[in-house]
Amino acid sequence: MTEDNNVEVPRLGIEPEAFRLAAANMVDYVIKYYCDVDKRQTFSDVKPGFMRALLPESPPDRPESWQEVFSDIERIVMDGMTHWQSPGFFSYYPSSASYPSMLADMLCSGVPCIGFSWASSPSCTELETVMMDWLGKAIGLPECFIHGGHGPGGGVIQGTASEATLVALIAARSKTIRRELSRDPNQRTHDIVGRMVAYTSQCSHSSVERAGLLSLVEVRRLPVKDDGALEGGVLKEAVLEDRKAGRIPMFVCVTIGTTSCCTFDDLEGIGKTCETEDIWCHVDAAYAGAALVCPEFRFICKGIERATSFNFNPHKWLMVQFDCSAMWVRDSTDLINSAEVNPLYLRHNTESATIDYRHWQIPLGRRFRSLKLWFVLRMVGVEGLRSHIRRGVREAKHLEELVRCDERFEVLFPVILGLVCIKLKRPGSSLEDENDLNERLYDKIHEDRRIFIVPATLNGVYFIRICTGSTHCSIEQVNKCWQVITEMAGEL
Amino acid sequence: MTEDNNVEVPRLGIEPEAFRLAAANMVDYVIKYYCDVDKRQTFSDVKPGFMRALLPESPPDRPESWQEVFSDIERIVMDGMTHWQSPGFFSYYPSSASYPSMLADMLCSGVPCIGFSWASSPSCTELETVMMDWLGKAIGLPECFIHGGHGPGGGVIQGTASEATLVALIAARSKTIRRELSRDPNQRTHDIVGRMVAYTSQCSHSSVERAGLLSLVEVRRLPVKDDGALEGGVLKEAVLEDRKAGRIPMFVCVTIGTTSCCTFDDLEGIGKTCETEDIWCHVDAAYAGAALVCPEFRFICKGIERATSFNFNPHKWLMVQFDCSAMWVRDSTDLINSAEVNPLYLRHNTESATIDYRHWQIPLGRRFRSLKLWFVLRMVGVEGLRSHIRRGVREAKHLEELVRCDERFEVLFPVILGLVCIKLKRPGSSLEDENDLNERLYDKIHEDRRIFIVPATLNGVYFIRICTGSTHCSIEQVNKCWQVITEMAGEL
């Protein structure tokens, strides 16, 4: 209870000169990490609970030296990392890394502000507004999504695509409640919500289903054919059926680049239905949206001008470090109206003319993430980003060729961007046996540890997905990856 | 459509040596920022829309140099910042900065991983688990909240306290639905939710009300007396009244350190009611929780062993950079059950023995934020953190003394931690006139720009809140702050 053992610490924890030296160590460490990342095992062998044994039970009372902490990074942390930047990483979708993005993160962390309102840090809000316009133009979005346009549309940086989906669904819920109450003010809100129905395809990301659970809106996962794409006609039919049953269709999540198989829903057809049926059309292009910087890939988003909101993750494939999920809406008042509360301590006298991004998102506080977009867009340039995307696509096309030349294997979906989905064929045998074969192949590849991939399923078919385009991927690495797969297949 | 103007960029955007030099520039810039931050105006004079005029309309096609980008930080961004680290910042609650935390952020950004599951980066999950135990022990949490204890409890890092409240409320909603359905399986989920009621005090943060709007659970804001604290008896009465009306009381958000006046709800009394009435008791100690590192302040959380979940923000007052909001729950299965979805591409074969933190939070992806706790707890030490907290409290006590010596002013609430709430008295005049006087005082201080503070209200009384304890606050700065306030008061 006394202050006897008081340890006086510098204002910022350590002295500035100590920070300068430590930061130089850290920069060297990071550079070396990328130079040697190919020597690290992509997926770790550590067992659950490994780290507790390496750490003391409680924090120290008195300060430890930088050297003690610094040396523990390698000793304690690095062996248990999944190395997303490793050339052996073909799993999930990539997570970007670039030096310009790291420099921006250093500034964001170094000069911290919490930009929940315009007043809490004007630059944080204003740079985000302009950067979302820059990025929107770079991917060819229609003007209705641009802040600097003439409408109420604009962009915001969310943490993740899952949050963007939830924000859109909650805004749609809120808009639908208002509309229904204006038709009949005697309805109870919970009855209205209980009749709502949202749609997405069975291939959409699990976070769409989760957004439904969180917001209490039922999500119907509509079937797709073996091409993995949701058709406008299938949606239309479901909507009419639900309307007939007295339900309220109010939201669709269209996926452009599904997680399991990188297929593209029929945005044009779905968008038309949404327009005629007054349904919120949210586009989740978390991975594939980055490819829109290249004009030759914009066909995947045909119909985008019909969308109500659009989202993609620059942190996946556009050289921006996590987290930076870019979301645009056609009408920002839809977001603001969905859950605005505005106490005195958060108000400021410039409110009417400004954006308070806290109304556009789930959390209150927010980091200065637009710095990452600013640095990357300027230091790489739009043409630089295009060649980054094209490199990833070339790698995938190369892998596709390799697979097609091996008659034991089959490529399951058109390879448009960086994902290649394959399986071993066993002609004449049952689907179950073929699945079993491919599961065994996957297990062997996973245990081998030279590459890290994940499997997926569609309509009962089990397959292996291989995603190119990560930081250190290359044609040579794709060859090595294929070498591992064929070697393991040969052992079966 | 051609690749003619292809710009080949290095894998990481720029070359490693260019990054090393640029990073050294940035480190120097950050250090200089803190050395000179007292020369910057805390709250900016920029007008809404100022930045658009300073930036091109579109991103560049070809890469720009680091020097161009670097020099634009000062030219374009810094004038429009609200300087949360300035010695003139007495607004909101502080946002922490420390060099150890920045070093951890550099590692988090430099070696990125997306730790949504144990397999997606084991170290990311495991360090978080142990660090939440370290931090829990440092603030004296009961063992039921510790991962390494014997129960199903443990901690998780959320982005913000607002997310923690929402996560807790949704978990409580889910638990209540299950309980009600087990009593009568014929009920409709939306009817159950429509009968639910959550409670908090009128002084709690606006994000509690917002969590209610987002989760469709009605939040009753219960009245407090002029001491700003919610009493157990008031809650008990409300609960019984609601039960009698057929409603389902199911959640309370107890505030330990309210935003407007840093008052403390009666956790002990409320907790007892929650136990007998089977209600989820969430404790929001966003700001004040940091003070629990000092044993002499733990009395503010008397009754904590009755809480179902507890949250505070190390990024507010514990030398950890935003974002790092620490949340503990007594039973983690409550979180996991609230919205679990688990597709094949996110599954891994070590699931049963591990924590997948994506089930504990709203977003899917997550950064390696526990590095910040690790670095700060080690390089500052628990005693160092204690002296940081005690310094902030001394500054507030000093300000309280200054105010009490000036008979024109009144101190409104007991000064326990770093917040001092004051108003000018005008004996004999109406509340309206007194409020008007204080609003004019606030406006003058705000326009003067030497310090940045925000006002608040309680039960119709308008007052000015001054929060000490930020990075560069000191007794001398408090004297300067008081000088500004008395000068402006003299001019009225």
Side-chain angles (χ1 to χ4, degrees), chain A residues 170-195:
Chain A
I170 287 176
R173 187 185 70 183
S174 192
K175 200 176 175 177
T176 307
I177 292 172
R178 285 195 304 276
R179 193 188 58 208
E180 289 296 316
L181 287 178
S182 77
R183 287 176 188 167
D184 174 5
N186 294 320
Q187 296 178 89
R188 286 170 53 219
T189 300
H190 286 88
D191 289 336
I192 298 171
V193 178
R195 286 163 58 217

PDB file of all heavy atoms in Angstrom, chain A residues 170-195:
ATOM      1  N   ILE A 170     -26.851  -4.590 -40.321  1.00  0.00           N
ATOM      2  CA  ILE A 170     -27.550  -3.829 -39.276  1.00  0.00           C
ATOM      3  C   ILE A 170     -28.176  -2.557 -39.859  1.00  0.00           C
ATOM      4  O   ILE A 170     -29.295  -2.180 -39.492  1.00  0.00           O
ATOM      5  CB  ILE A 170     -26.595  -3.526 -38.096  1.00  0.00           C
ATOM      6  CG1 ILE A 170     -26.349  -4.813 -37.300  1.00  0.00           C
ATOM      7  CG2 ILE A 170     -27.160  -2.425 -37.195  1.00  0.00           C
ATOM      8  CD1 ILE A 170     -25.364  -4.680 -36.167  1.00  0.00           C
ATOM      9  N   ALA A 171     -27.485  -1.924 -40.782  1.00  0.00           N
ATOM     10  CA  ALA A 171     -28.058  -0.739 -41.432  1.00  0.00           C
ATOM     11  C   ALA A 171     -29.304  -1.119 -42.228  1.00  0.00           C
ATOM     12  O   ALA A 171     -30.318  -0.406 -42.209  1.00  0.00           O
ATOM     13  CB  ALA A 171     -27.014  -0.075 -42.332  1.00  0.00           C
ATOM     14  N   ALA A 172     -29.233  -2.250 -42.916  1.00  0.00           N
ATOM     15  CA  ALA A 172     -30.389  -2.708 -43.695  1.00  0.00           C
ATOM     16  C   ALA A 172     -31.558  -3.051 -42.767  1.00  0.00           C
ATOM     17  O   ALA A 172     -32.717  -2.741 -43.062  1.00  0.00           O
ATOM     18  CB  ALA A 172     -30.004  -3.929 -44.533  1.00  0.00           C
ATOM     19  N   ARG A 173     -31.241  -3.671 -41.638  1.00  0.00           N
ATOM     20  CA  ARG A 173     -32.261  -4.023 -40.647  1.00  0.00           C
ATOM     21  C   ARG A 173     -32.989  -2.764 -40.161  1.00  0.00           C
ATOM     22  O   ARG A 173     -34.211  -2.694 -40.108  1.00  0.00           O
ATOM     23  CB  ARG A 173     -31.571  -4.731 -39.471  1.00  0.00           C
ATOM     24  CG  ARG A 173     -32.493  -5.311 -38.420  1.00  0.00           C
ATOM     25  CD  ARG A 173     -31.687  -5.890 -37.248  1.00  0.00           C
ATOM     26  NE  ARG A 173     -31.049  -4.848 -36.453  1.00  0.00           N
ATOM     27  CZ  ARG A 173     -30.242  -5.082 -35.400  1.00  0.00           C
ATOM     28  NH1 ARG A 173     -29.947  -6.319 -35.040  1.00  0.00           N
ATOM     29  NH2 ARG A 173     -29.714  -4.082 -34.725  1.00  0.00           N
ATOM     30  N   SER A 174     -32.180  -1.773 -39.857  1.00  0.00           N
ATOM     31  CA  SER A 174     -32.699  -0.527 -39.333  1.00  0.00           C
ATOM     32  C   SER A 174     -33.574   0.194 -40.371  1.00  0.00           C
ATOM     33  O   SER A 174     -34.654   0.700 -40.061  1.00  0.00           O
ATOM     34  CB  SER A 174     -31.485   0.311 -38.965  1.00  0.00           C
ATOM     35  OG  SER A 174     -31.818   1.391 -38.220  1.00  0.00           O
ATOM     36  N   LYS A 175     -33.097   0.216 -41.596  1.00  0.00           N
ATOM     37  CA  LYS A 175     -33.836   0.854 -42.677  1.00  0.00           C
ATOM     38  C   LYS A 175     -35.167   0.132 -42.908  1.00  0.00           C
ATOM     39  O   LYS A 175     -36.215   0.759 -43.129  1.00  0.00           O
ATOM     40  CB  LYS A 175     -32.982   0.756 -43.952  1.00  0.00           C
ATOM     41  CG  LYS A 175     -33.334   1.721 -45.034  1.00  0.00           C
ATOM     42  CD  LYS A 175     -32.364   1.592 -46.211  1.00  0.00           C
ATOM     43  CE  LYS A 175     -32.805   2.481 -47.347  1.00  0.00           C
ATOM     44  NZ  LYS A 175     -31.847   2.448 -48.474  1.00  0.00           N
ATOM     45  N   THR A 176     -35.129  -1.184 -42.815  1.00  0.00           N
ATOM     46  CA  THR A 176     -36.336  -1.976 -43.025  1.00  0.00           C
ATOM     47  C   THR A 176     -37.339  -1.746 -41.895  1.00  0.00           C
ATOM     48  O   THR A 176     -38.546  -1.629 -42.138  1.00  0.00           O
ATOM     49  CB  THR A 176     -35.975  -3.479 -43.115  1.00  0.00           C
ATOM     50  OG1 THR A 176     -34.949  -3.638 -44.103  1.00  0.00           O
ATOM     51  CG2 THR A 176     -37.178  -4.313 -43.502  1.00  0.00           C
ATOM     52  N   ILE A 177     -36.844  -1.666 -40.671  1.00  0.00           N
ATOM     53  CA  ILE A 177     -37.740  -1.384 -39.536  1.00  0.00           C
ATOM     54  C   ILE A 177     -38.443  -0.040 -39.759  1.00  0.00           C
ATOM     55  O   ILE A 177     -39.663   0.069 -39.618  1.00  0.00           O
ATOM     56  CB  ILE A 177     -36.960  -1.365 -38.199  1.00  0.00           C
ATOM     57  CG1 ILE A 177     -36.442  -2.763 -37.849  1.00  0.00           C
ATOM     58  CG2 ILE A 177     -37.845  -0.821 -37.065  1.00  0.00           C
ATOM     59  CD1 ILE A 177     -35.506  -2.805 -36.652  1.00  0.00           C
ATOM     60  N   ARG A 178     -37.672   0.966 -40.148  1.00  0.00           N
ATOM     61  CA  ARG A 178     -38.280   2.293 -40.377  1.00  0.00           C
ATOM     62  C   ARG A 178     -39.331   2.237 -41.478  1.00  0.00           C
ATOM     63  O   ARG A 178     -40.416   2.814 -41.369  1.00  0.00           O
ATOM     64  CB  ARG A 178     -37.196   3.322 -40.728  1.00  0.00           C
ATOM     65  CG  ARG A 178     -36.351   3.772 -39.542  1.00  0.00           C
ATOM     66  CD  ARG A 178     -35.549   5.027 -39.856  1.00  0.00           C
ATOM     67  NE  ARG A 178     -34.697   4.877 -41.020  1.00  0.00           N
ATOM     68  CZ  ARG A 178     -33.483   4.326 -41.004  1.00  0.00           C
ATOM     69  NH1 ARG A 178     -32.977   3.863 -39.876  1.00  0.00           N
ATOM     70  NH2 ARG A 178     -32.763   4.215 -42.101  1.00  0.00           N
ATOM     71  N   ARG A 179     -38.996   1.533 -42.547  1.00  0.00           N
ATOM     72  CA  ARG A 179     -39.942   1.443 -43.667  1.00  0.00           C
ATOM     73  C   ARG A 179     -41.218   0.734 -43.248  1.00  0.00           C
ATOM     74  O   ARG A 179     -42.332   1.175 -43.545  1.00  0.00           O
ATOM     75  CB  ARG A 179     -39.277   0.688 -44.832  1.00  0.00           C
ATOM     76  CG  ARG A 179     -40.016   0.792 -46.149  1.00  0.00           C
ATOM     77  CD  ARG A 179     -39.408  -0.139 -47.192  1.00  0.00           C
ATOM     78  NE  ARG A 179     -39.426  -1.523 -46.725  1.00  0.00           N
ATOM     79  CZ  ARG A 179     -38.559  -2.476 -47.093  1.00  0.00           C
ATOM     80  NH1 ARG A 179     -37.581  -2.189 -47.936  1.00  0.00           N
ATOM     81  NH2 ARG A 179     -38.656  -3.707 -46.630  1.00  0.00           N
ATOM     82  N   GLU A 180     -41.059  -0.379 -42.530  1.00  0.00           N
ATOM     83  CA  GLU A 180     -42.242  -1.142 -42.104  1.00  0.00           C
ATOM     84  C   GLU A 180     -43.091  -0.334 -41.131  1.00  0.00           C
ATOM     85  O   GLU A 180     -44.315  -0.363 -41.196  1.00  0.00           O
ATOM     86  CB  GLU A 180     -41.806  -2.462 -41.454  1.00  0.00           C
ATOM     87  CG  GLU A 180     -41.236  -3.474 -42.441  1.00  0.00           C
ATOM     88  CD  GLU A 180     -42.263  -3.925 -43.471  1.00  0.00           C
ATOM     89  OE1 GLU A 180     -43.416  -4.202 -43.075  1.00  0.00           O
ATOM     90  OE2 GLU A 180     -41.920  -3.994 -44.676  1.00  0.00           O
ATOM     91  N   LEU A 181     -42.436   0.373 -40.222  1.00  0.00           N
ATOM     92  CA  LEU A 181     -43.204   1.164 -39.253  1.00  0.00           C
ATOM     93  C   LEU A 181     -43.924   2.321 -39.930  1.00  0.00           C
ATOM     94  O   LEU A 181     -44.992   2.736 -39.490  1.00  0.00           O
ATOM     95  CB  LEU A 181     -42.285   1.680 -38.138  1.00  0.00           C
ATOM     96  CG  LEU A 181     -41.807   0.620 -37.130  1.00  0.00           C
ATOM     97  CD1 LEU A 181     -40.864   1.245 -36.113  1.00  0.00           C
ATOM     98  CD2 LEU A 181     -42.996  -0.043 -36.426  1.00  0.00           C
ATOM     99  N   SER A 182     -43.322   2.828 -41.003  1.00  0.00           N
ATOM    100  CA  SER A 182     -44.002   3.925 -41.703  1.00  0.00           C
ATOM    101  C   SER A 182     -45.252   3.400 -42.418  1.00  0.00           C
ATOM    102  O   SER A 182     -46.212   4.129 -42.618  1.00  0.00           O
ATOM    103  CB  SER A 182     -43.052   4.614 -42.681  1.00  0.00           C
ATOM    104  OG  SER A 182     -42.896   3.825 -43.840  1.00  0.00           O
ATOM    105  N   ARG A 183     -45.228   2.126 -42.765  1.00  0.00           N
ATOM    106  CA  ARG A 183     -46.419   1.525 -43.391  1.00  0.00           C
ATOM    107  C   ARG A 183     -47.480   1.196 -42.360  1.00  0.00           C
ATOM    108  O   ARG A 183     -48.669   1.304 -42.603  1.00  0.00           O
ATOM    109  CB  ARG A 183     -46.041   0.237 -44.144  1.00  0.00           C
ATOM    110  CG  ARG A 183     -45.287   0.517 -45.418  1.00  0.00           C
ATOM    111  CD  ARG A 183     -44.854  -0.783 -46.085  1.00  0.00           C
ATOM    112  NE  ARG A 183     -43.970  -0.499 -47.214  1.00  0.00           N
ATOM    113  CZ  ARG A 183     -43.236  -1.401 -47.835  1.00  0.00           C
ATOM    114  NH1 ARG A 183     -43.262  -2.654 -47.443  1.00  0.00           N
ATOM    115  NH2 ARG A 183     -42.477  -1.063 -48.849  1.00  0.00           N
ATOM    116  N   ASP A 184     -47.025   0.712 -41.206  1.00  0.00           N
ATOM    117  CA  ASP A 184     -47.963   0.342 -40.138  1.00  0.00           C
ATOM    118  C   ASP A 184     -47.274   0.555 -38.784  1.00  0.00           C
ATOM    119  O   ASP A 184     -46.542  -0.307 -38.312  1.00  0.00           O
ATOM    120  CB  ASP A 184     -48.380  -1.129 -40.299  1.00  0.00           C
ATOM    121  CG  ASP A 184     -49.236  -1.597 -39.132  1.00  0.00           C
ATOM    122  OD1 ASP A 184     -49.587  -0.758 -38.262  1.00  0.00           O
ATOM    123  OD2 ASP A 184     -49.548  -2.799 -39.070  1.00  0.00           O
ATOM    124  N   PRO A 185     -47.555   1.689 -38.167  1.00  0.00           N
ATOM    125  CA  PRO A 185     -46.844   2.070 -36.933  1.00  0.00           C
ATOM    126  C   PRO A 185     -47.209   1.185 -35.752  1.00  0.00           C
ATOM    127  O   PRO A 185     -46.570   1.289 -34.699  1.00  0.00           O
ATOM    128  CB  PRO A 185     -47.312   3.512 -36.675  1.00  0.00           C
ATOM    129  CG  PRO A 185     -48.118   3.915 -37.859  1.00  0.00           C
ATOM    130  CD  PRO A 185     -48.552   2.691 -38.568  1.00  0.00           C
ATOM    131  N   ASN A 186     -48.199   0.320 -35.913  1.00  0.00           N
ATOM    132  CA  ASN A 186     -48.608  -0.493 -34.772  1.00  0.00           C
ATOM    133  C   ASN A 186     -47.833  -1.797 -34.641  1.00  0.00           C
ATOM    134  O   ASN A 186     -48.063  -2.570 -33.715  1.00  0.00           O
ATOM    135  CB  ASN A 186     -50.107  -0.805 -34.864  1.00  0.00           C
ATOM    136  CG  ASN A 186     -50.917   0.471 -34.712  1.00  0.00           C
ATOM    137  OD1 ASN A 186     -50.582   1.326 -33.888  1.00  0.00           O
ATOM    138  ND2 ASN A 186     -51.950   0.621 -35.537  1.00  0.00           N
ATOM    139  N   GLN A 187     -46.922  -2.052 -35.581  1.00  0.00           N
ATOM    140  CA  GLN A 187     -46.136  -3.283 -35.504  1.00  0.00           C
ATOM    141  C   GLN A 187     -45.084  -3.191 -34.401  1.00  0.00           C
ATOM    142  O   GLN A 187     -44.606  -2.111 -34.082  1.00  0.00           O
ATOM    143  CB  GLN A 187     -45.411  -3.527 -36.830  1.00  0.00           C
ATOM    144  CG  GLN A 187     -46.322  -3.769 -37.999  1.00  0.00           C
ATOM    145  CD  GLN A 187     -45.503  -3.955 -39.264  1.00  0.00           C
ATOM    146  OE1 GLN A 187     -45.102  -5.050 -39.593  1.00  0.00           O
ATOM    147  NE2 GLN A 187     -45.229  -2.862 -39.950  1.00  0.00           N
ATOM    148  N   ARG A 188     -44.726  -4.348 -33.844  1.00  0.00           N
ATOM    149  CA  ARG A 188     -43.644  -4.379 -32.869  1.00  0.00           C
ATOM    150  C   ARG A 188     -42.330  -4.658 -33.595  1.00  0.00           C
ATOM    151  O   ARG A 188     -42.262  -5.523 -34.486  1.00  0.00           O
ATOM    152  CB  ARG A 188     -43.897  -5.454 -31.821  1.00  0.00           C
ATOM    153  CG  ARG A 188     -45.002  -5.039 -30.810  1.00  0.00           C
ATOM    154  CD  ARG A 188     -45.393  -6.216 -29.938  1.00  0.00           C
ATOM    155  NE  ARG A 188     -44.217  -6.801 -29.318  1.00  0.00           N
ATOM    156  CZ  ARG A 188     -44.017  -8.110 -29.134  1.00  0.00           C
ATOM    157  NH1 ARG A 188     -44.907  -8.963 -29.537  1.00  0.00           N
ATOM    158  NH2 ARG A 188     -42.914  -8.547 -28.557  1.00  0.00           N
ATOM    159  N   THR A 189     -41.303  -3.920 -33.200  1.00  0.00           N
ATOM    160  CA  THR A 189     -39.999  -4.047 -33.842  1.00  0.00           C
ATOM    161  C   THR A 189     -39.540  -5.500 -33.921  1.00  0.00           C
ATOM    162  O   THR A 189     -39.078  -5.967 -34.957  1.00  0.00           O
ATOM    163  CB  THR A 189     -38.949  -3.227 -33.065  1.00  0.00           C
ATOM    164  OG1 THR A 189     -39.364  -1.866 -33.077  1.00  0.00           O
ATOM    165  CG2 THR A 189     -37.582  -3.336 -33.716  1.00  0.00           C
ATOM    166  N   HIS A 190     -39.678  -6.230 -32.807  1.00  0.00           N
ATOM    167  CA  HIS A 190     -39.169  -7.602 -32.805  1.00  0.00           C
ATOM    168  C   HIS A 190     -39.966  -8.520 -33.727  1.00  0.00           C
ATOM    169  O   HIS A 190     -39.421  -9.483 -34.263  1.00  0.00           O
ATOM    170  CB  HIS A 190     -39.104  -8.155 -31.384  1.00  0.00           C
ATOM    171  CG  HIS A 190     -37.967  -7.572 -30.613  1.00  0.00           C
ATOM    172  ND1 HIS A 190     -38.071  -6.399 -29.894  1.00  0.00           N
ATOM    173  CD2 HIS A 190     -36.677  -7.956 -30.504  1.00  0.00           C
ATOM    174  CE1 HIS A 190     -36.904  -6.118 -29.346  1.00  0.00           C
ATOM    175  NE2 HIS A 190     -36.031  -7.029 -29.700  1.00  0.00           N
ATOM    176  N   ASP A 191     -41.235  -8.205 -33.933  1.00  0.00           N
ATOM    177  CA  ASP A 191     -42.001  -8.989 -34.904  1.00  0.00           C
ATOM    178  C   ASP A 191     -41.501  -8.726 -36.315  1.00  0.00           C
ATOM    179  O   ASP A 191     -41.401  -9.642 -37.135  1.00  0.00           O
ATOM    180  CB  ASP A 191     -43.494  -8.633 -34.814  1.00  0.00           C
ATOM    181  CG  ASP A 191     -44.115  -9.166 -33.529  1.00  0.00           C
ATOM    182  OD1 ASP A 191     -43.566 -10.137 -32.974  1.00  0.00           O
ATOM    183  OD2 ASP A 191     -45.132  -8.593 -33.083  1.00  0.00           O
ATOM    184  N   ILE A 192     -41.196  -7.460 -36.589  1.00  0.00           N
ATOM    185  CA  ILE A 192     -40.676  -7.115 -37.923  1.00  0.00           C
ATOM    186  C   ILE A 192     -39.359  -7.852 -38.166  1.00  0.00           C
ATOM    187  O   ILE A 192     -39.174  -8.513 -39.185  1.00  0.00           O
ATOM    188  CB  ILE A 192     -40.466  -5.590 -38.053  1.00  0.00           C
ATOM    189  CG1 ILE A 192     -41.801  -4.850 -37.885  1.00  0.00           C
ATOM    190  CG2 ILE A 192     -39.829  -5.246 -39.395  1.00  0.00           C
ATOM    191  CD1 ILE A 192     -41.646  -3.329 -37.788  1.00  0.00           C
ATOM    192  N   VAL A 193     -38.452  -7.757 -37.185  1.00  0.00           N
ATOM    193  CA  VAL A 193     -37.144  -8.408 -37.352  1.00  0.00           C
ATOM    194  C   VAL A 193     -37.314  -9.920 -37.481  1.00  0.00           C
ATOM    195  O   VAL A 193     -36.614 -10.571 -38.265  1.00  0.00           O
ATOM    196  CB  VAL A 193     -36.196  -8.059 -36.183  1.00  0.00           C
ATOM    197  CG1 VAL A 193     -34.855  -8.769 -36.336  1.00  0.00           C
ATOM    198  CG2 VAL A 193     -35.984  -6.549 -36.107  1.00  0.00           C
ATOM    199  N   GLY A 194     -38.259 -10.457 -36.750  1.00  0.00           N
ATOM    200  CA  GLY A 194     -38.508 -11.891 -36.815  1.00  0.00           C
ATOM    201  C   GLY A 194     -38.994 -12.355 -38.186  1.00  0.00           C
ATOM    202  O   GLY A 194     -38.851 -13.526 -38.530  1.00  0.00           O
ATOM    203  N   ARG A 195     -39.542 -11.429 -38.960  1.00  0.00           N
ATOM    204  CA  ARG A 195     -39.997 -11.785 -40.313  1.00  0.00           C
ATOM    205  C   ARG A 195     -38.933 -11.502 -41.374  1.00  0.00           C
ATOM    206  O   ARG A 195     -39.081 -11.869 -42.531  1.00  0.00           O
ATOM    207  CB  ARG A 195     -41.277 -10.996 -40.643  1.00  0.00           C
ATOM    208  CG  ARG A 195     -42.524 -11.523 -39.904  1.00  0.00           C
ATOM    209  CD  ARG A 195     -43.644 -10.490 -39.914  1.00  0.00           C
ATOM    210  NE  ARG A 195     -44.008 -10.110 -41.280  1.00  0.00           N
ATOM    211  CZ  ARG A 195     -44.363  -8.867 -41.665  1.00  0.00           C
ATOM    212  NH1 ARG A 195     -44.430  -7.885 -40.768  1.00  0.00           N
ATOM    213  NH2 ARG A 195     -44.677  -8.622 -42.904  1.00  0.00           N
TER     214      ARG A 195
END
